[in-house]
Amino acid sequence: MAEPRNRYSTVSLLFHWGIAAAVLAQVLLITAHEANEGTRTFISAHKALGLTILVVTLARIGWRLMNPALPLPPGTPGWQRIGARATHVGFYVLLIGLPLGGWAASSAAGRDIDFFGLFNWPLLPLPQSRELAGQFMDAHEAGVKVLYVLLALHVLGALKHHFVDRDNVLHRMIPLIPRRP
């Protein structure tokens, strides 16, 4: 099932936009949690969704290994190619690292992770330590800030391709946008 030449496959689009929607939901869940300090409902959903993002990201990487990314348009400067590659690698590192960091923080704090009411996700075999849990949370929060920067770069790059370069890069991920000749 090789990728079509002029756009990404439906599976690739589902991975991309599904993970994007899940990341947005994570931001909304943590914002709701902070606004409602007395309840654990939002943080519980945040943890479960984070672990879902981890599993789906690993599946996405497997798919990507079998279906390499489409090449950037001819004439794309080398620095932009390197920047695009670094941004995508950064996304994968964070989409794996952030859930692992949250999982590690919960494990070190001895807090169960309720997986959408279905079962308790197993905790990592880490020493019970508030200090260790805090360190994992500090790293988790720093990673989120890096994720925001990468998201901004990713969106700005896509918009640059569409409005400045006037190529079909954005069409490949949003097929509703008409293909340019």
Side-chain angles (χ1 to χ4, degrees), residues 2 9 11 18 30 39 46 53 61 64 72 77 84 86 89 91 100 105 111 115 122 124 145 152 177:
S9 71
V11 172
I30 206 66
T39 179
H46 177 83
I53 289 171
I61 290 170
R64 176 86 180 258
L72 287 170
V89 169
F91 274 134
L100 287 176
R111 293 199 175 130
F115 193 75
L124 296 169
K145 291 175 183 168
I177 293 176

Short mmCIF file of all heavy atoms in Angstrom, two decimals, residues 2 9 11 18 30 39 46 53 61 64 72 77 84 86 89 91 100 105 111 115 122 124 145 152 177:
data_model
loop_
_atom_site.label_atom_id
_atom_site.label_comp_id
_atom_site.label_asym_id
_atom_site.label_seq_id
_atom_site.Cartn_x
_atom_site.Cartn_y
_atom_site.Cartn_z
N ALA A 2 1.54 1.49 -1.09
CA ALA A 2 2.42 2.66 -1.18
C ALA A 2 1.58 3.94 -1.24
O ALA A 2 0.43 3.93 -1.67
CB ALA A 2 3.29 2.55 -2.43
N SER A 9 -1.71 8.99 1.92
CA SER A 9 -2.80 8.01 1.95
C SER A 9 -3.79 8.36 3.05
O SER A 9 -3.50 9.14 3.97
CB SER A 9 -2.23 6.62 2.19
OG SER A 9 -1.77 6.52 3.54
N VAL A 11 -4.68 6.44 5.44
CA VAL A 11 -4.12 6.00 6.72
C VAL A 11 -3.18 7.07 7.27
O VAL A 11 -3.24 7.42 8.45
CB VAL A 11 -3.40 4.65 6.57
CG1 VAL A 11 -2.66 4.28 7.84
CG2 VAL A 11 -4.38 3.55 6.18
N GLY A 18 -5.58 12.66 13.41
CA GLY A 18 -6.02 12.05 14.67
C GLY A 18 -5.11 12.44 15.82
O GLY A 18 -5.58 12.82 16.91
N ILE A 30 -6.01 19.65 30.06
CA ILE A 30 -5.16 20.17 31.13
C ILE A 30 -5.63 21.57 31.53
O ILE A 30 -5.58 21.93 32.71
CB ILE A 30 -3.66 20.11 30.76
CG1 ILE A 30 -2.80 20.03 32.03
CG2 ILE A 30 -3.22 21.25 29.90
CD1 ILE A 30 -2.96 18.78 32.82
N THR A 39 -11.25 18.54 40.95
CA THR A 39 -11.66 17.29 40.32
C THR A 39 -10.48 16.61 39.62
O THR A 39 -9.58 17.27 39.11
CB THR A 39 -12.80 17.52 39.31
OG1 THR A 39 -13.14 16.28 38.72
CG2 THR A 39 -12.42 18.48 38.22
N HIS A 46 -6.70 13.11 30.65
CA HIS A 46 -5.45 13.58 30.06
C HIS A 46 -4.40 12.46 30.05
O HIS A 46 -3.72 12.24 29.05
CB HIS A 46 -4.94 14.79 30.86
CG HIS A 46 -3.63 15.33 30.43
ND1 HIS A 46 -3.50 16.21 29.37
CD2 HIS A 46 -2.37 15.14 30.91
CE1 HIS A 46 -2.23 16.53 29.21
NE2 HIS A 46 -1.51 15.89 30.14
N ILE A 53 -2.00 8.42 22.75
CA ILE A 53 -1.12 9.10 21.79
C ILE A 53 0.19 8.34 21.65
O ILE A 53 0.70 8.17 20.53
CB ILE A 53 -0.88 10.57 22.20
CG1 ILE A 53 -2.15 11.39 22.01
CG2 ILE A 53 0.28 11.18 21.41
CD1 ILE A 53 -2.09 12.79 22.60
N ILE A 61 4.68 5.53 13.42
CA ILE A 61 6.08 5.37 13.02
C ILE A 61 6.23 4.08 12.20
O ILE A 61 6.93 4.07 11.18
CB ILE A 61 7.01 5.38 14.25
CG1 ILE A 61 7.04 6.79 14.84
CG2 ILE A 61 8.41 4.91 13.89
CD1 ILE A 61 7.72 6.89 16.20
N ARG A 64 4.94 4.81 8.85
CA ARG A 64 5.84 5.71 8.14
C ARG A 64 7.07 4.98 7.61
O ARG A 64 7.58 5.28 6.53
CB ARG A 64 6.25 6.85 9.08
CG ARG A 64 7.26 7.82 8.53
CD ARG A 64 6.59 8.93 7.73
NE ARG A 64 7.56 9.85 7.22
CZ ARG A 64 7.82 11.03 7.73
NH1 ARG A 64 7.19 11.47 8.77
NH2 ARG A 64 8.72 11.81 7.17
N LEU A 72 9.81 16.80 -0.57
CA LEU A 72 9.47 18.21 -0.69
C LEU A 72 9.59 18.61 -2.17
O LEU A 72 10.28 17.94 -2.95
CB LEU A 72 10.39 19.05 0.18
CG LEU A 72 10.12 18.94 1.67
CD1 LEU A 72 11.23 19.60 2.48
CD2 LEU A 72 8.78 19.55 2.02
N PRO A 77 15.04 24.80 -0.64
CA PRO A 77 16.40 24.99 -0.13
C PRO A 77 16.78 23.95 0.93
O PRO A 77 15.93 23.46 1.68
CB PRO A 77 16.37 26.40 0.49
CG PRO A 77 15.19 27.07 -0.12
CD PRO A 77 14.21 25.99 -0.45
N ALA A 84 12.53 20.97 8.12
CA ALA A 84 11.33 20.13 8.07
C ALA A 84 11.61 18.77 8.70
O ALA A 84 10.82 18.25 9.49
CB ALA A 84 10.86 19.97 6.63
N ALA A 86 14.00 18.01 10.89
CA ALA A 86 14.23 18.17 12.33
C ALA A 86 12.91 18.38 13.07
O ALA A 86 12.72 17.84 14.17
CB ALA A 86 15.17 19.35 12.58
N VAL A 89 11.15 14.93 13.24
CA VAL A 89 11.83 14.07 14.22
C VAL A 89 11.51 14.56 15.63
O VAL A 89 11.22 13.77 16.53
CB VAL A 89 13.35 14.02 13.96
CG1 VAL A 89 14.09 13.36 15.12
CG2 VAL A 89 13.65 13.27 12.65
N PHE A 91 8.84 16.11 16.60
CA PHE A 91 7.47 15.71 16.92
C PHE A 91 7.43 14.27 17.42
O PHE A 91 6.80 13.96 18.43
CB PHE A 91 6.55 15.82 15.69
CG PHE A 91 5.96 17.18 15.49
CD1 PHE A 91 5.97 17.75 14.23
CD2 PHE A 91 5.37 17.89 16.52
CE1 PHE A 91 5.41 19.00 14.01
CE2 PHE A 91 4.81 19.13 16.32
CZ PHE A 91 4.84 19.69 15.06
N LEU A 100 5.59 9.21 27.92
CA LEU A 100 6.47 8.44 28.81
C LEU A 100 6.81 9.23 30.07
O LEU A 100 6.84 8.67 31.18
CB LEU A 100 7.76 8.05 28.08
CG LEU A 100 7.65 6.94 27.03
CD1 LEU A 100 8.99 6.73 26.34
CD2 LEU A 100 7.14 5.65 27.64
N ALA A 105 6.03 10.08 35.79
CA ALA A 105 5.65 10.94 36.92
C ALA A 105 4.55 10.29 37.75
O ALA A 105 4.63 10.27 38.99
CB ALA A 105 5.21 12.31 36.41
N ARG A 111 0.56 7.08 41.66
CA ARG A 111 -0.82 7.40 41.28
C ARG A 111 -1.27 6.48 40.15
O ARG A 111 -0.62 6.41 39.10
CB ARG A 111 -0.92 8.85 40.83
CG ARG A 111 -0.69 9.80 41.97
CD ARG A 111 -1.23 11.17 41.63
NE ARG A 111 -1.10 12.03 42.78
CZ ARG A 111 -0.57 13.23 42.73
NH1 ARG A 111 -0.14 13.73 41.59
NH2 ARG A 111 -0.48 13.96 43.82
N PHE A 115 -7.40 3.94 32.64
CA PHE A 115 -7.44 4.03 31.19
C PHE A 115 -8.90 4.03 30.74
O PHE A 115 -9.48 3.00 30.44
CB PHE A 115 -6.65 2.89 30.54
CG PHE A 115 -6.40 3.11 29.08
CD1 PHE A 115 -5.46 4.02 28.64
CD2 PHE A 115 -7.13 2.42 28.13
CE1 PHE A 115 -5.24 4.23 27.29
CE2 PHE A 115 -6.92 2.62 26.77
CZ PHE A 115 -5.97 3.54 26.36
N PRO A 122 -0.68 -0.24 33.81
CA PRO A 122 0.37 -0.60 34.77
C PRO A 122 1.37 0.53 34.96
O PRO A 122 1.74 1.21 34.01
CB PRO A 122 1.03 -1.82 34.13
CG PRO A 122 0.63 -1.80 32.70
CD PRO A 122 -0.66 -1.04 32.60
N LEU A 124 5.07 2.11 35.90
CA LEU A 124 6.46 1.74 35.66
C LEU A 124 7.12 1.38 36.99
O LEU A 124 6.79 1.95 38.03
CB LEU A 124 7.21 2.90 34.99
CG LEU A 124 6.72 3.30 33.61
CD1 LEU A 124 7.34 4.62 33.18
CD2 LEU A 124 7.03 2.20 32.60
N LYS A 145 6.34 22.87 26.11
CA LYS A 145 6.73 24.17 25.55
C LYS A 145 7.46 23.98 24.22
O LYS A 145 7.23 24.72 23.26
CB LYS A 145 7.57 24.95 26.55
CG LYS A 145 6.75 25.40 27.75
CD LYS A 145 7.59 26.06 28.80
CE LYS A 145 6.70 26.41 30.00
NZ LYS A 145 7.44 26.80 31.15
N ALA A 152 4.09 25.58 16.03
CA ALA A 152 4.10 26.88 15.34
C ALA A 152 4.93 26.82 14.07
O ALA A 152 4.51 27.29 13.01
CB ALA A 152 4.61 27.96 16.29
N ILE A 177 -8.23 20.98 -0.17
CA ILE A 177 -7.62 22.12 -0.84
C ILE A 177 -7.31 21.69 -2.26
O ILE A 177 -6.63 20.69 -2.48
CB ILE A 177 -6.34 22.58 -0.11
CG1 ILE A 177 -6.72 23.14 1.27
CG2 ILE A 177 -5.56 23.59 -0.93
CD1 ILE A 177 -5.54 23.54 2.11
#
